[in-house]
Amino acid sequence: NNRCGVDIGNVLSMRSKNWGCKVQAWKSADPSGAYAFCMLYCLAYGAENLFFVSRTNNGSWLTFNGKHEAWVVRFIRELGFFDMGVPEDNLKICKEYWEKGKIAHDHNLGRFIDDRFDCLMGVSYLVPDCDLWCYTNDERGPRQQYATEYPCDAQFRKDFCNSLNVCDNWRANK
């Protein structure tokens, strides 16, 4: 299964405390190769197999006032992924972190890249065969928040720990 879900905040984009102002997407893209990874993934497996999965405060493509696109939508649009052939419907927005597992299940994702263990646990619970990758560009490291609303404690399952890959950049490992 070549369908891949990729988180945006602290994964494709660098951490920023001021997303309210207009930030050019290329300036906030992860410098270790996230953009190149997505482009090469589209070329190798087809743009229709790349999904961007992100959480926003209101779980919508729009800001709270409904006047502007959420920064994650603008980020993906400005980087040109929709122009490259990624269907707009492949940008999935949720309100709660645990909902990423349901998105992975509903879209039959075979691999998932996120910076939060709780998101990866949710994916693992609903899609046990999914190839899980933990990556973050945040200097604080991956988010290890285990207080979740999952139906079971995924962090205690050996198959979750055994299926989790952790990487510190977007370059291919030898």
Side-chain angles (χ1 to χ4, degrees):
N1 175 347
N2 292 324
R3 297 167 72 88
C4 180
V6 182
D7 181 35
I8 298 173
N10 294 339
V11 176
L12 291 180
S13 71
M14 297 295 292
R15 178 175 168 74
S16 175
K17 295 180 179 172
N18 193 11
W19 282 109
C21 68
K22 186 75 171 158
V23 177
Q24 292 175 318
W26 63 270
K27 287 184 178 179
S28 58
D30 182 277
S32 72
Y35 181 74
F37 169 85
C38 291
M39 286 189 348
L40 292 171
Y41 200 91
C42 288
L43 290 170
Y45 301 109
E48 69 279 2
N49 288 313
L50 186 61
F51 290 77
F52 300 105
V53 183
S54 195
R55 187 201 71 84
T56 64
N57 289 333
N58 63 341
S60 167
W61 273 49
L62 302 175
T63 56
F64 278 112
N65 62 15
K67 293 182 181 179
H68 306 285
E69 288 184 326
W71 76 266
V72 293
V73 178
R74 290 192 321 264
F75 179 80
I76 295 301
R77 187 178 307 285
E78 290 173 16
L79 284 180
F81 288 114
F82 297 141
D83 294 332
M84 192 184 311
V86 175
E88 286 193 14
D89 192 46
N90 283 18
L91 173 56
K92 303 298 180 185
I93 306 289
C94 57
K95 187 172 183 174
E96 303 295 336
Y97 291 110
W98 60 267
E99 293 174 311
K100 292 182 179 184
K102 182 173 180 350
I103 291 169
H105 178 267
D106 291 349
H107 297 284
N108 190 31
L109 300 182
R111 60 195 47 82
F112 203 92
I113 305 167
D114 205 292
D115 66 319
R116 296 179 62 102
F117 288 135
D118 53 349
C119 294
L120 294 168
M121 285 178 215
V123 173
S124 173
Y125 178 72
L126 293 173
V127 190
D129 295 331
C130 191
D131 188 19
L132 304 175
W133 287 87
C134 183
Y135 169 77
T136 184
N137 55 48
D138 190 332
E139 67 276 357
R140 298 173 297 178
R143 294 295 307 265
Q144 298 183 25
Q145 189 170 352
Y146 292 119
T148 64
E149 300 177 28
Y150 298 121
C152 74
D153 293 323
Q155 69 264 31
F156 298 115
R157 290 184 15 225
K158 287 184 181 179
D159 61 331
F160 170 73
C161 295
N162 292 338
S163 67
L164 184 64
N165 301 286
V166 179
C167 55
D168 61 2
N169 64 57
W170 287 94
R171 295 172 190 92
N173 293 330
K174 293 182 180 182

